[in-house]
Amino acid sequence: MWKKWLLRALALALAFALFSGLGMLMKKGVAEKYVFTKALSEEETIVVGDLSKQLLPKKLLQPGYLDFTSGHRGGITNDTGKAVKLQVVADGSPYDVELKSTSPGFDALTGVYGRAVEDGAQVTFEALVRIPRGELKNASGQEIVVHFLNADTGENISDLVLRIA
Amino acid sequence: MKKTTKLLIKRAIGYIIGLVLFFAPFGLYQRGLMALLGEHGNPDIHKVCYTMSIQSLLTGGLAKYSLGVALVSLYLLMIVTVFFGPVFCGRLCPVGALPEYLSRIMPEKLKLKLKDKVNPTPIRYGFLIAFAAAPLLGTSLTCTFCGFSFMQRLLNIPTVGNIGVLLSSTIITGILWLIIGGLFNAGGRGWCNYCCPVGAFQSLIHAVCARLPFTFKLKIDRDKCKACGLCAAACPMGSLKLEGGELHRNIHSCMECGYCKGLCPTGALSYGTGRDGWNDSMISIKKKETADEKA
């Protein structure tokens, strides 16, 4: 009987070690997602998407589809001292770029956020970049600039630079 | 129509209801709860996110949660599991159902017999411990290793037009969930058996609460059981086994799907309250045969 329990305990410990190892590998995979935070008072924020850090599964299946994200819960902070109606616009991209946000009322077509962002409040932002497989070799050094504009006046508040390395 | 086909269709209806309830573009459950709680957001599975809330519960981080869809859903899941067992897995969850039904199209000889070879109990609880310890160890087993999230990606394809950005972790998850644990695995429930924290968490609750007389559980009437093995062969989780001419159940991997109950030709298996009968003194097959002969 005790042998049975010992074997079970060993299997449990082995599973714990195995899945913890897998969790470490998964953590490395997270580096394939380029997570950043940004304050609107910063004139420019640079986020580097390093293609060389991709693991084999990503390299084989989807090496040119990149995700730059501020996360699910915010990440873009309005610290300008006043409420602002935000609009995001991608500029100078040689690749297909999709701008997204989970913040309520975001219009993906115009890039305008549904509600004015109060001072101190946060919104989310995500840019999905598609680099065709054939252009991956020459992608290093390319930059995509995302302008954060005042949607009412068109004034450029801040820039986010997505740099491919 | 064959009895097994009827039962599979009946079960599939439950899983489709689960899909409509919990996954975008439908997310009827989230929509209802969001309206009730005055919450906003995307009504997809991430709004419920059982994995993160279970991890927070196990690591003592639940206090950070405000009473919203995720927390209410976790409490509901726990209450349902206490009284009815892991019925969310067995009767509603399409994440487990998809690989199970996929595996049915694969010829048996091409499938791994994982459920017969590797006892799921220590593995799934070992995973649950690793999952709970992940924030302390600096590893990642929530969003990066999530069958629910992958299912949502698949469902996004018709509405968004693509599966979204795949990270290596997502690809490994998809392979383990659908291919190794599903398509090429007997029963198709490899992911549920070994890698799902939501299932393991419910099993843990059920293993304790099934001892209480007022809770629902799978029951056996040893007098009626002829040990034909039909239920054991069909159990997708492999929690029923015929050993030494007697039927045994592993409560730690049973998801209370009711498939065995429907298949049982003698009505020996049932789902209800009271004693479950699994530990009752066994009537050996020989004794039974003798009794049958005498009759």
Coordinates of all heavy atoms in Angstrom, one line a residue, chain A residues 27-79:
Chain A
K27 N 7.0 31.2 -20.3 CA 7.4 32.5 -19.9 C 8.3 33.1 -21.0 O 8.3 34.3 -21.4 CB 8.2 32.5 -18.6 CG 8.4 33.8 -18.0 CD 7.3 34.3 -17.2 CE 7.6 35.6 -16.4 NZ 6.5 36.1 -15.7
K28 N 9.2 32.2 -21.5 CA 10.1 32.7 -22.6 C 9.3 33.1 -23.8 O 9.6 34.0 -24.5 CB 11.1 31.6 -23.0 CG 12.3 31.5 -22.1 CD 13.3 30.6 -22.7 CE 14.6 30.6 -21.9 NZ 15.6 29.7 -22.5
G29 N 8.2 32.3 -24.1 CA 7.4 32.5 -25.2 C 6.7 33.9 -25.1 O 6.3 34.5 -26.1
V30 N 6.5 34.3 -23.8 CA 5.9 35.6 -23.6 C 6.7 36.7 -24.2 O 6.2 37.8 -24.6 CB 5.6 35.8 -22.1 CG1 5.1 37.2 -21.8 CG2 4.6 34.8 -21.6
A31 N 8.0 36.5 -24.3 CA 8.9 37.6 -24.9 C 8.6 37.8 -26.3 O 9.1 38.8 -26.9 CB 10.4 37.1 -24.7
E32 N 7.8 36.9 -26.9 CA 7.4 37.1 -28.3 C 6.2 38.1 -28.4 O 5.8 38.5 -29.5 CB 7.0 35.8 -28.9 CG 8.1 34.8 -29.0 CD 7.6 33.4 -29.3 OE1 6.4 33.1 -29.1 OE2 8.5 32.5 -29.6
K33 N 5.7 38.5 -27.3 CA 4.7 39.5 -27.2 C 5.3 40.8 -26.6 O 6.0 40.7 -25.6 CB 3.6 39.0 -26.3 CG 2.3 39.8 -26.4 CD 1.2 39.1 -25.6 CE -0.1 39.6 -25.9 NZ -1.2 38.8 -25.3
Y34 N 5.2 41.9 -27.3 CA 6.0 43.1 -26.9 C 5.1 44.0 -26.0 O 4.3 44.7 -26.6 CB 6.6 43.8 -28.1 CG 7.3 42.8 -29.0 CD1 6.7 42.5 -30.3 CD2 8.4 42.1 -28.6 CE1 7.3 41.6 -31.1 CE2 9.0 41.1 -29.4 CZ 8.4 40.9 -30.7 OH 9.0 39.9 -31.5
V35 N 5.2 43.8 -24.7 CA 4.4 44.5 -23.8 C 5.0 45.8 -23.3 O 6.2 45.8 -23.0 CB 4.0 43.6 -22.6 CG1 3.0 44.3 -21.7 CG2 3.5 42.3 -23.1
F36 N 4.3 46.9 -23.3 CA 4.9 48.2 -22.9 C 3.8 49.0 -22.1 O 2.7 48.7 -22.1 CB 5.3 49.0 -24.1 CG 4.1 49.3 -25.0 CD1 3.4 50.5 -24.9 CD2 3.7 48.4 -26.0 CE1 2.3 50.8 -25.6 CE2 2.6 48.7 -26.8 CZ 1.9 49.9 -26.6
T37 N 4.3 50.0 -21.4 CA 3.4 51.0 -20.9 C 3.9 52.4 -21.4 O 5.0 52.5 -21.9 CB 3.5 51.1 -19.3 OG1 4.9 51.3 -19.0 CG2 3.0 49.8 -18.7
K38 N 2.9 53.3 -21.4 CA 3.3 54.6 -22.0 C 2.5 55.7 -21.2 O 1.3 55.6 -21.0 CB 2.9 54.7 -23.5 CG 3.1 56.0 -24.1 CD 2.9 55.9 -25.6 CE 3.0 57.3 -26.2 NZ 4.3 58.0 -25.9
A39 N 3.2 56.8 -21.0 CA 2.6 58.0 -20.4 C 2.5 59.0 -21.6 O 3.4 59.2 -22.3 CB 3.4 58.6 -19.3
L40 N 1.3 59.7 -21.7 CA 1.1 60.6 -22.8 C 2.0 61.8 -22.7 O 2.2 62.5 -23.7 CB -0.4 61.0 -22.9 CG -1.3 59.9 -23.3 CD1 -2.8 60.4 -23.4 CD2 -0.9 59.3 -24.7
S41 N 2.5 62.1 -21.5 CA 3.4 63.3 -21.4 C 4.8 63.0 -22.0 O 5.5 63.9 -22.3 CB 3.6 63.6 -19.9 OG 4.2 62.5 -19.2
E42 N 5.1 61.7 -22.2 CA 6.4 61.4 -22.9 C 6.2 61.8 -24.4 O 5.3 61.4 -25.0 CB 6.7 59.9 -22.8 CG 7.0 59.4 -21.5 CD 7.1 57.9 -21.4 OE1 6.9 57.2 -22.5 OE2 7.2 57.3 -20.3
E43 N 7.2 62.5 -24.9 CA 7.1 62.9 -26.3 C 7.2 61.6 -27.2 O 6.5 61.5 -28.2 CB 8.3 63.8 -26.6 CG 8.1 64.6 -27.9 CD 9.3 65.6 -28.1 OE1 9.7 66.3 -27.1 OE2 9.8 65.6 -29.2
E44 N 8.0 60.7 -26.8 CA 8.2 59.5 -27.7 C 8.5 58.3 -26.8 O 9.3 58.4 -25.9 CB 9.4 59.8 -28.6 CG 9.6 58.7 -29.7 CD 10.7 59.0 -30.6 OE1 11.9 58.7 -30.3 OE2 10.5 59.6 -31.7
T45 N 7.9 57.2 -27.1 CA 8.2 55.9 -26.4 C 8.6 54.9 -27.4 O 7.9 54.8 -28.5 CB 7.0 55.4 -25.6 OG1 6.5 56.5 -24.8 CG2 7.3 54.2 -24.8
I46 N 9.7 54.2 -27.2 CA 10.2 53.3 -28.2 C 10.0 51.8 -27.6 O 10.4 51.5 -26.5 CB 11.7 53.5 -28.5 CG1 11.9 54.9 -29.1 CG2 12.2 52.4 -29.5 CD1 13.3 55.3 -29.3
V47 N 9.3 51.0 -28.4 CA 9.2 49.6 -28.1 C 9.9 48.8 -29.1 O 9.7 49.0 -30.3 CB 7.7 49.2 -28.1 CG1 7.5 47.8 -27.4 CG2 6.8 50.2 -27.4
V48 N 10.7 47.9 -28.7 CA 11.5 47.1 -29.6 C 10.9 45.7 -29.8 O 10.7 45.0 -28.8 CB 13.0 47.0 -29.2 CG1 13.8 46.1 -30.2 CG2 13.6 48.3 -29.1
G49 N 10.6 45.3 -31.0 CA 10.1 43.9 -31.3 C 11.3 43.1 -31.8 O 11.7 43.3 -33.0
D50 N 11.9 42.3 -30.9 CA 13.1 41.6 -31.3 C 12.8 40.2 -31.9 O 12.4 39.3 -31.2 CB 14.0 41.4 -30.1 CG 15.4 40.9 -30.5 OD1 15.6 40.5 -31.6 OD2 16.3 41.0 -29.6
L51 N 12.9 40.1 -33.2 CA 12.5 38.8 -33.9 C 13.5 37.7 -33.6 O 13.1 36.5 -33.6 CB 12.6 39.0 -35.4 CG 11.6 40.1 -36.0 CD1 11.7 40.1 -37.5 CD2 10.2 39.8 -35.6
S52 N 14.7 38.0 -33.1 CA 15.7 37.0 -32.8 C 15.3 36.2 -31.6 O 15.9 35.2 -31.3 CB 17.1 37.6 -32.7 OG 17.1 38.4 -31.6
K53 N 14.4 36.8 -30.8 CA 14.0 36.1 -29.5 C 12.9 35.1 -29.7 O 12.4 34.5 -28.7 CB 13.7 37.1 -28.4 CG 14.9 37.8 -27.9 CD 14.5 38.7 -26.7 CE 15.8 39.4 -26.1 NZ 15.5 40.5 -25.3
Q54 N 12.5 35.0 -30.9 CA 11.3 34.1 -31.2 C 11.8 32.6 -31.0 O 12.9 32.2 -31.4 CB 10.8 34.2 -32.6 CG 10.0 35.5 -32.8 CD 9.5 35.7 -34.2 OE1 9.8 34.9 -35.1 NE2 8.6 36.6 -34.4
L55 N 10.9 31.8 -30.4 CA 11.2 30.4 -30.2 C 10.8 29.6 -31.5 O 10.1 30.2 -32.3 CB 10.5 29.8 -29.0 CG 10.8 30.4 -27.7 CD1 10.0 29.8 -26.6 CD2 12.3 30.4 -27.3
L56 N 11.2 28.4 -31.6 CA 11.0 27.6 -32.8 C 9.6 27.6 -33.3 O 9.3 27.8 -34.5 CB 11.6 26.2 -32.7 CG 11.6 25.4 -33.9 CD1 12.6 26.0 -35.0 CD2 12.0 23.9 -33.6
P57 N 8.6 27.2 -32.4 CA 7.2 27.1 -32.9 C 6.7 28.4 -33.6 O 6.1 28.4 -34.7 CB 6.4 26.9 -31.7 CG 7.3 26.2 -30.7 CD 8.6 26.9 -31.0
K58 N 7.0 29.6 -33.0 CA 6.6 30.9 -33.6 C 7.4 31.1 -34.9 O 6.8 31.5 -35.9 CB 7.0 32.0 -32.6 CG 6.8 33.4 -33.1 CD 5.4 33.8 -33.0 CE 5.2 35.3 -33.4 NZ 3.8 35.6 -33.8
K59 N 8.7 30.8 -34.9 CA 9.5 31.0 -36.1 C 9.0 30.2 -37.3 O 9.0 30.6 -38.4 CB 11.0 30.5 -35.8 CG 11.9 31.7 -35.5 CD 13.3 31.2 -35.3 CE 14.1 32.3 -34.7 NZ 15.3 31.9 -34.1
L60 N 8.5 29.0 -37.0 CA 8.0 28.1 -38.0 C 6.6 28.5 -38.5 O 6.4 28.5 -39.7 CB 7.9 26.6 -37.5 CG 9.3 25.9 -37.3 CD1 9.0 24.5 -36.7 CD2 10.0 25.8 -38.6
L61 N 5.8 28.8 -37.6 CA 4.4 29.0 -38.0 C 3.9 30.4 -38.3 O 3.2 30.7 -39.3 CB 3.4 28.5 -36.9 CG 3.2 27.0 -36.9 CD1 2.1 26.6 -35.8 CD2 2.7 26.5 -38.2
Q62 N 4.4 31.4 -37.5 CA 3.9 32.7 -37.7 C 4.9 33.8 -37.3 O 4.7 34.7 -36.5 CB 2.7 32.9 -36.8 CG 1.6 33.7 -37.3 CD 0.5 34.0 -36.3 OE1 0.8 34.3 -35.1 NE2 -0.7 33.9 -36.6
P63 N 6.1 33.8 -38.0 CA 7.2 34.6 -37.6 C 6.9 36.1 -37.8 O 7.5 37.0 -37.2 CB 8.4 34.2 -38.4 CG 7.8 33.5 -39.6 CD 6.5 32.9 -39.2
G64 N 6.1 36.4 -38.8 CA 5.9 37.8 -39.2 C 4.7 38.5 -38.6 O 4.4 39.7 -39.0
Y65 N 4.0 37.9 -37.7 CA 2.8 38.5 -37.1 C 3.1 38.9 -35.7 O 3.3 38.0 -34.8 CB 1.6 37.4 -37.2 CG 0.2 38.0 -37.0 CD1 0.0 39.4 -37.1 CD2 -0.9 37.2 -36.9 CE1 -1.3 39.9 -37.0 CE2 -2.2 37.7 -36.8 CZ -2.3 39.1 -36.8 OH -3.6 39.6 -36.7
L66 N 3.2 40.2 -35.5 CA 3.8 40.7 -34.2 C 2.7 41.4 -33.4 O 1.9 42.1 -34.0 CB 5.0 41.6 -34.5 CG 6.0 41.1 -35.4 CD1 7.1 42.1 -35.6 CD2 6.6 39.7 -35.0
D67 N 2.8 41.3 -32.1 CA 1.8 41.9 -31.2 C 2.5 42.9 -30.2 O 3.3 42.5 -29.4 CB 1.1 40.8 -30.4 CG 0.0 41.3 -29.6 OD1 -0.3 42.6 -29.6 OD2 -0.7 40.5 -28.9
F68 N 2.3 44.2 -30.4 CA 2.8 45.2 -29.5 C 1.6 45.6 -28.6 O 0.6 46.1 -29.2 CB 3.3 46.4 -30.2 CG 4.5 46.1 -31.1 CD1 4.4 45.6 -32.4 CD2 5.8 46.4 -30.6 CE1 5.5 45.4 -33.1 CE2 6.9 46.1 -31.4 CZ 6.8 45.6 -32.7
T69 N 1.6 45.4 -27.3 CA 0.4 45.6 -26.5 C 0.7 46.3 -25.2 O 1.7 46.0 -24.6 CB -0.4 44.3 -26.3 OG1 -1.5 44.5 -25.5 CG2 0.5 43.2 -25.6
S70 N -0.3 47.1 -24.8 CA -0.1 47.7 -23.4 C -0.8 46.8 -22.4 O -0.9 47.3 -21.2 CB -0.7 49.1 -23.5 OG -2.1 49.0 -23.6
G71 N -1.3 45.7 -22.8 CA -1.9 44.8 -21.8 C -3.5 44.9 -21.8 O -4.0 45.8 -22.5
H72 N -4.1 44.1 -21.0 CA -5.6 44.0 -21.0 C -6.2 45.2 -20.1 O -7.3 45.5 -20.3 CB -6.1 42.7 -20.4 CG -5.8 41.5 -21.2 ND1 -6.2 41.5 -22.5 CD2 -5.2 40.4 -20.9 CE1 -5.9 40.3 -23.0 NE2 -5.2 39.6 -22.1
R73 N -5.4 45.7 -19.2 CA -6.1 46.5 -18.1 C -5.7 48.0 -18.2 O -6.0 48.7 -17.3 CB -5.7 46.0 -16.8 CG -6.3 44.6 -16.6 CD -6.1 44.1 -15.2 NE -6.7 42.7 -15.1 CZ -6.7 42.0 -14.1 NH1 -6.0 42.4 -13.0 NH2 -7.2 40.8 -14.1
G74 N -5.0 48.4 -19.2 CA -4.6 49.8 -19.3 C -3.3 50.0 -20.0 O -3.1 49.4 -21.1
G75 N -2.4 50.6 -19.4 CA -1.0 50.7 -19.9 C -0.7 52.1 -20.6 O 0.4 52.5 -20.6
I76 N -1.7 52.7 -21.1 CA -1.5 54.1 -21.7 C -2.2 55.1 -20.7 O -3.4 55.1 -20.5 CB -2.2 54.2 -23.1 CG1 -1.8 53.1 -24.0 CG2 -2.0 55.6 -23.7 CD1 -0.4 53.1 -24.5
T77 N -1.3 55.8 -20.1 CA -1.8 56.7 -19.0 C -1.9 58.2 -19.5 O -0.9 58.7 -20.1 CB -0.9 56.7 -17.8 OG1 -0.7 55.3 -17.4 CG2 -1.5 57.4 -16.6
N78 N -3.0 58.8 -19.2 CA -3.1 60.2 -19.5 C -2.6 61.0 -18.3 O -3.3 61.1 -17.3 CB -4.6 60.6 -19.8 CG -4.8 62.1 -20.1 OD1 -3.8 62.8 -20.3 ND2 -6.0 62.5 -20.0
D79 N -1.4 61.5 -18.5 CA -0.8 62.3 -17.4 C -0.6 63.8 -17.9 O 0.4 64.4 -17.4 CB 0.5 61.7 -16.8 CG 1.5 61.5 -17.9 OD1 1.1 61.7 -19.1 OD2 2.7 61.3 -17.6

